[in-house]
Amino acid sequence: MHQFVRVAVAAAALLAVLGRPAPAAAETAEQCLAAMNQYRTAAGLNRASATSIPALGKAAAAHAAYRVKVDTATVDYLALLGLPDLGLFGPDQTAHLESPKLRDLGFTGVNPWDRTKAAKLADGTWRYQYEDVTTATGITAANLKGVRSWIDAPYHRLPLLDANTRHIGCAVDQRGSYSAQVLEMAATWKDTTKRITLYPAPGQKAVPVSFNRCQEHPTPFGGACAAASPTQQVGYVVTVQADGYYAMKVQGIAFSKGSARAPVDIHRAVRYRTQKTTVPASAVDTSLPANAAMLAAKSPLAAATTYNVRISGYVQAAKGGKWVQFKTGSGRSPPPDPRRRTRPVTRAAAFALGLNRALEGPDLRGRRAP
């Protein structure tokens, strides 16, 4: 049976599409919430709620239903409505868009924020929103596991592990052999946490050893992959995000192996650098939000091994505001579990920083409230 999964994340300044192999375990809407909260808890974040903003669940269900109908619509049906067939998502350029002419197939809004508004999410009650979408051929809705796919892919991971996206709605739908999973996320004006979030988290175990960078678009660490080379493995990606802050400038990033802290050759990606930085200009990645950075070893990680990461730089609470220095702390992760020979123990050092709790600036990653 042919199996193919597509994943996408929507935000005003962050748009990505990911393809990955078939997931291995079931994930209903309820399991989607549980899985997301499992990752958030591991990262030291508060749990998200699927009931605090009911409109998110309604919008997610409506868009999942739309996707399975539109993506399987025939070229002749679209032509009758004067719509082109652009490929994977029918007349829609991305999985996040809907076409107004397709009301019979469930159109509720062109953009994610249009659809949450149609589901009765009132203007002025939310600060920013995100949407993740997974679509698959040959995998039933009961077997979609979008959260794991999104967590593994660094651009997709960032909104799921944002300390302030504490309100979500998740839904799955299926039409024949075609399935879709949609996750809507939002932060309200009451969600004002400021913190540095590193993932994998300090002392975390059972971390995957690698990530195929070609699975995500835009493609991290080096640009798009050639069609002849669809698999290019790097070490499992480490992300750092300054949630609640306007921006982050990185001064240095280092990655080392074991208690001897042997240096590891890595890819770096940052949005902004300090003037006196060890991060090369080639590492600047405009696909990243203003308050995030990431790194990955240039080769898959070794199993049952401790890794150490150290990142330093400055965070800014509001545009034009004071820059506050941060840097990683020290310490050791728990010893590796010898029974898990296929996965490493990744050490992600804790952050020690002074927090500027002045006026909060806008978050540039998500769709801001009108």
Side-chain angles (χ1 to χ4, degrees), residues 217-259:
H217 304 280
T219 306
F221 310 123
C225 298
S229 302
T231 301
Q232 296 181 21
Q233 300 287 353
V234 297
Y236 195 69
V237 182
V238 178
T239 53
V240 58
Q241 53 195 104
D243 296 326
Y245 289 94
Y246 177 79
M248 176 175 67
K249 289 182 179 179
V250 175
Q251 184 168 1
I253 300 177
F255 196 54
S256 62
K257 178 180 178 180
S259 59

Side-chain angles (χ1 to χ4, degrees), residues 9 14 40 45 130 132 150-151 153-163 165 185 197 199 216 238-243 287-289 291-294 365:
V9 58
L14 177 62
R40 288 179 66 87
L45 302 172
Y130 302 106
D132 279 357
W150 299 323
I151 285 291
Y155 294 116
H156 294 77
R157 178 191 302 168
L158 296 172
L160 271 72
L161 297 185
D162 186 317
T165 53
M185 297 164 279
T197 299
Y199 191 87
E216 191 171 24
V238 178
T239 53
V240 58
Q241 53 195 104
D243 296 326
S287 294
L288 280 170
N291 55 354
M294 58 188 179
R365 288 178 291 160

Side-chain angles (χ1 to χ4, degrees), residues 341-360:
R341 300 302 299 175
T342 60
R343 296 175 185 271
V345 177
T346 296
R347 163 68 178 144
F351 281 88
L353 64 156
L355 300 182
N356 182 350
R357 298 187 181 277
L359 178 66
E360 179 183 6

Side-chain angles (χ1 to χ4, degrees), residues 27-30 32 56-65 132 134 144 150 169-173 180-184:
E27 185 168 83
T28 63
E30 292 76 16
C32 171
L56 297 176
K58 294 178 181 178
H63 190 53
D132 279 357
T134 301
L144 280 175
W150 299 323
C170 193
V172 293
D173 209 325
Q181 181 173 349
V182 178
L183 175 63
E184 303 289 355

